[in-house]
Amino acid sequence: MTSVLEIKDLHVSVETEQGTKQILRGVDLVIRQGEIHAVMGPNGSGKSTLAHTIAGHPRYTVDSGEILLDGEDVLEMSVDERARAGLFLAMQYPVEIPGVTNSNFLRTAKTAIDGEAPSIRTWVKDVKQAMENLRMDSSFAERNVNEGFSGGEKKRNEILQLELLKPKFAVLDETDSGLDVDALKIVSEGVNRAKENTGLGLLLITHYTRILRYIKPDFVHVFVNGKVAEQGGPELADRLEEEGYDRYLVGA
Amino acid sequence: MAQTAAQHGITAHTEGAWDATPIQTRSERFTSAEVADFAEVSGLESVWKFTPVKELQDLFNSELDGSRDNISVDASAGVKVAWVPVATSNRGVAGLPEERGAANAWSRAEEVLEAHITGENQTLTLSRSALDKLPRAAHTVITAAPHASGIIVLRNTGDAQLSENVEIVLGDGADLTVVSVQQWSNDAKHLSSHYASVGRDASLKHIVVSLGGAIVRVNPSIHLNAEGGSIDALGAYFSTSGQHIEQQVYIDHDAPHTRSRVTYKGALRGEGARSVWIGDVLIRQSATGTDSYEQNRNLVLSDGTRADSIPNLEIETGDIAGAGHASATGRFDDEQLFYLMARGITEEEARRLVVRGFLLEVINQIGDDSLEDELRVAIEEAIESDLSNS
């Protein structure tokens, strides 16, 4: 069965010092396993809010609407339950966890997702291979999670988790930001490899069209002011590259 | 209308000279080996003001049992260990008491356990596990010959009501790691003053790991009194309901090109869990080119806890390579929890990972694999037993 992630008329707000601020104002999206959806839009349009809301970040309040994974109510699930149900968020700003080695973290996460510890021999081999593919030095296994990693290394570490945890759906929150061309290629290869190996569905959130040269979207959605303003195929991304977001912002 | 200071409630407290010099430099603090030289402890003294002194009166005032205590010794070939009567011992080589608890132990101890280390990669473990609840005194002197190296572990378990002095002397070029591990029973009381003297180009790593005991106070005073001396003072503690864990760390830079790094990390959980960290760093006029940094971090895991964290830095010379301090006490970082849970890890497991990681950051710096493993297990056990009780 092909899994499907449905977002229906989603309204989301956050508490700020100035009071409650509505950010998402009725978002509808349907993503099937194996599809790549790009969500593009100017800063402040609500792209990252969508990513965090899908993952269940406590800062965001869902005022109305639904998120369903194969018909199951995702909004009823805790953050960890969502991950175990097959959702993955590659973070824009991965946090550092002092004193916890990457290898311990990866094994703990894998055990949690699968419901059982991975067989040691294949696991060690899988981690090693995945790190090699992402051109990560083997020393990253014994370093503390994201501690002292450069921006590019943190993003690779996110994709390493994506490849090892094998979710049904992954949201990549501006994974391309702050990467140079070489790192962008390596990270994109990793995402494409994960899709090839597991057939996952992808929601690729980005400000720039650059990453879409390496990861080809099936659908492009333009986010403006907390809603999808326009959607289409990959040709929409080409148009955005030439014209930018200006035409959506006129009169907004 | 004339009013006296007393009418305003302003009175000098017991340490005196309050109106003349409100701030006392650490170097001028009174020291003595005689308990009678110290007034009875009221709890207002700066060295005692965070400590539950009422519960320590026996250790301050009673005739402590100063006979040989029940300590087991495990030493490698280059370590000579002997009990020596105080009269013929070499005690006093690294420092003298600055308060009554330590002075009472000094005055009452009858024998000193002396350990002398020669050669490289030596090991010595001194374990106390069979003390009783009667108040007692102990004195230990550890000396490392020039260029000697090794690891000393002071391991404390079981019951105790103990005040002790531990002196550590490093000869020139010596390289010593001293670890004091407190895993006492729930109602144990332990006052421990460590005095270290670090020789020329010698390097001391001093680690305090306090997990068990009702009142555990380990105060290391490190004197860098020869050129090029170096100290890494590390600490990890976990204070749970009803526990008081304290450490007052004093680093005395008294020679050129000395180096100090102080890192203490603690976690607290449960009603009445207390911790105190006071870090005094003194860089004297003689200590040109000194490089120093001290930090204390506390992770607060529940309501009802209190962590006092007080860094003090006194600098008497303009010519230093670096001096800094940091102190932070906070709750769980929600972003860390979110990150771990977004990878499928349950909240409970995520909290455990964060606390463990927070404390192990200190343990991981010890530099001895088997000791690190053992302390990792000890910290994991402390976290587990706390979680299962909560």
Side-chain angles (χ1 to χ4, degrees), chain A residues 10-249:
Chain A
L10 191 66
H11 289 71
V12 174
S13 57
V14 291
E15 292 302 322
T16 69
E17 282 169 18
Q18 287 80 39
T20 305
K21 189 176 170 210
Q22 201 185 7
I23 299 189
L24 297 187
R25 303 161 191 270
V27 175
D28 291 285
L29 279 176
V30 178
I31 305 158
R32 283 165 218 289
Q33 239 178 332
E35 293 176 353
I36 300 180
H37 292 245
V39 168
M40 308 192 60
N43 290 327
S45 59
K47 305 186 301 287
S48 277
T49 296
L50 177 65
H52 281 92
T53 304
I54 293 171
H57 194 286
R59 184 163 173 252
Y60 299 89
T61 307
V62 175
D63 299 314
S64 63
E66 283 183 304
I67 301 178
L68 303 173
L69 174 59
D70 295 330
E72 298 280 329
D73 187 354
V74 170
L75 296 177
E76 283 297 308
M77 300 179 195
S78 60
V79 175
D80 51 316
E81 285 169 346
R82 294 178 198 207
R84 292 197 296 273
L87 299 178
F88 181 90
L89 171 63
M91 315 244 180
Q92 187 180 358
Y93 302 109
V95 299
E96 302 182 356
I97 319 273
V100 179
T101 63
N102 225 8
S103 77
N104 181 20
F105 164 61
L106 291 168
R107 199 177 49 244
T108 306
K110 184 67 177 170
T111 304
I113 298 274
D114 290 0
E116 58 178 2
S119 114
I120 289 177
R121 206 185 311 159
T122 55
W123 175 247
V124 170
K125 215 178 73 199
D126 289 351
V127 173
K128 196 164 167 265
Q129 184 62 52
M131 288 179 68
E132 269 175 29
N133 290 342
L134 289 164
R135 325 273 205 285
M136 291 174 78
D137 190 86
S138 58
S139 66
F140 280 88
E142 292 316 314
R143 284 174 63 180
N144 293 335
V145 178
N146 293 324
E147 201 175 63
F149 289 23
S150 70
E153 287 162 353
K154 284 182 181 171
K155 297 297 173 71
R156 284 185 221 190
N157 205 34
E158 294 295 288
I159 303 308
L160 175 67
Q161 295 165 48
L162 171 68
E163 289 201 65
L164 291 169
L165 299 180
K166 302 186 178 15
K168 289 179 189 163
F169 291 96
V171 181
L172 308 188
D173 187 11
E174 304 210 11
T175 295
D176 52 336
S177 67
L179 293 183
D180 62 29
V181 175
D182 293 332
L184 182 63
K185 277 186 190 166
I186 291 167
V187 160
S188 301
E189 281 169 21
V191 173
N192 290 329
R193 202 164 42 235
K195 182 174 174 264
E196 219 165 275
N197 292 338
T198 67
L200 85 168
L202 278 169
L203 188 61
L204 194 66
I205 289 175
T206 180
H207 185 81
Y208 305 103
T209 53
R210 197 174 60 142
I211 193 172
L212 304 182
R213 284 180 224 152
Y214 304 102
I215 305 174
K216 295 287 176 205
D218 302 304
F219 305 93
V220 174
H221 313 268
V222 182
F223 247 54
V224 179
N225 200 19
K227 294 173 83 152
V228 177
E230 187 175 7
Q231 43 198 351
E235 73 287 347
L236 185 52
D238 297 335
R239 198 173 157 194
L240 285 170
E241 173 143 28
E242 282 162 28
E243 299 176 6
Y245 297 113
D246 282 356
R247 71 189 165 96
Y248 300 104
L249 299 175

Side-chain angles (χ1 to χ4, degrees), chain B residues 13-56:
Chain B
H13 51 82
T14 49
E15 279 181 293
W18 180 81
D19 43 353
T21 43
I23 297 169
Q24 181 197 37
T25 159
R26 180 71 199 242
S27 57
E28 287 166 10
R29 202 176 274 182
F30 177 74
T31 61
S32 170
E34 280 302 320
V35 62
D37 289 345
F38 293 90
E40 290 207 5
V41 176
S42 67
L44 295 174
E45 304 82 354
S46 61
V47 291
W48 292 114
K49 67 178 171 186
F50 297 103
T51 318
V53 294
K54 274 193 192 131
E55 295 163 55
L56 295 168

Side-chain angles (χ1 to χ4, degrees), chain B residues 84-91 109-112 114:
Chain B
V84 181
V86 291
T88 54
S89 77
N90 61 1
R91 71 176 186 165
E110 292 160 16
E111 287 184 280
V112 174
E114 291 188 355

Side-chain angles (χ1 to χ4, degrees), chain B residues 97-388:
Chain B
E98 291 186 344
E99 34 77 5
R100 188 173 167 101
N104 199 23
W106 199 292
S107 296
R108 309 294 181 191
E110 292 160 16
E111 287 184 280
V112 174
L113 185 64
E114 291 188 355
H116 185 65
I117 294 137
T118 55
E120 292 178 354
N121 301 317
Q122 301 298 317
T123 58
L124 168 66
T125 302
L126 301 175
S127 307
R128 288 194 189 96
S129 60
L131 301 185
D132 50 33
K133 295 179 183 181
L134 297 174
R136 64 165 47 248
H139 202 125
T140 308
V141 177
I142 297 159
T143 50
H147 303 288
S149 69
I151 294 194
I152 320 293
V153 183
L154 311 175
R155 200 186 302 270
N156 295 307
T157 57
D159 289 329
Q161 188 176 184
L162 173 68
S163 182
E164 65 165 343
N165 292 291
V166 177
E167 297 184 69
I168 303 158
V169 179
L170 273 67
D172 294 348
D175 183 357
L176 214 57
T177 296
V178 176
V179 190
S180 186
V181 186
Q182 287 66 242
Q183 289 178 280
W184 298 112
S185 306
N186 287 340
D187 55 356
K189 297 170 188 176
H190 182 207
L191 300 178
S192 183
S193 293
H194 288 211
Y195 316 84
S197 165
V198 179
R200 188 182 169 111
D201 298 324
S203 175
L204 173 64
K205 199 176 265 189
H206 184 274
I207 300 137
V208 177
V209 179
S210 292
L211 303 171
I215 302 171
V216 178
R217 179 171 132 133
V218 180
N219 294 353
S221 298
I222 315 292
H223 301 280
L224 298 166
N225 36 23
E227 186 163 356
S230 169
I231 170 72
D232 287 278
L234 305 170
Y237 48 93
F238 191 4
S239 180
T240 58
S241 196
Q243 270 189 298
H244 176 99
I245 296 182
E246 176 166 352
Q247 35 265 314
Q248 299 189 10
V249 185
Y250 174 34
I251 309 292
D252 179 9
H253 288 271
D254 194 11
H257 304 293
T258 47
R259 173 193 167 275
S260 67
R261 290 288 179 277
V262 179
T263 305
Y264 272 66
K265 297 183 83 175
L268 299 92
R269 183 192 328 248
E271 194 60 38
R274 290 284 317 261
S275 73
V276 178
W277 177 85
I278 300 175
D280 291 342
V281 173
L282 170 61
I283 301 174
R284 297 187 196 240
Q285 220 164 8
S286 55
T288 52
T290 282
D291 180 13
S292 102
Y293 192 82
E294 61 166 349
Q295 59 171 327
N296 173 226
R297 308 213 176 263
N298 293 297
L299 184 57
V300 172
L301 306 177
S302 77
D303 292 335
T305 67
R306 176 172 164 175
D308 289 285
S309 178
I310 303 165
N312 297 309
L313 189 51
E314 269 185 87
I315 307 177
E316 295 175 350
T317 172
D319 175 17
I320 55 169
H325 60 98
S327 161
T329 298
R331 288 185 173 267
F332 265 116
D333 181 339
D334 289 339
E335 294 301 325
Q336 288 182 347
L337 286 184
F338 175 70
Y339 189 77
L340 293 169
M341 290 174 70
R343 299 300 179 250
I345 298 167
T346 62
E347 183 172 350
E348 187 184 306
E349 179 74 13
R351 285 179 185 275
R352 193 177 288 146
L353 269 177
V354 171
V355 183
R356 182 183 173 279
F358 179 80
L359 295 175
L360 290 190
E361 220 192 354
V362 171
I363 304 301
N364 294 343
Q365 294 179 47
I366 292 176
D368 178 83
D369 287 345
S370 69
L371 187 60
E372 285 182 15
D373 284 343
E374 188 192 313
L375 292 171
R376 260 180 224 123
V377 170
I379 281 177
E380 275 159 15
E381 278 171 2
I383 293 169
E384 288 305 321
S385 85
D386 172 58
L387 284 175
S388 61

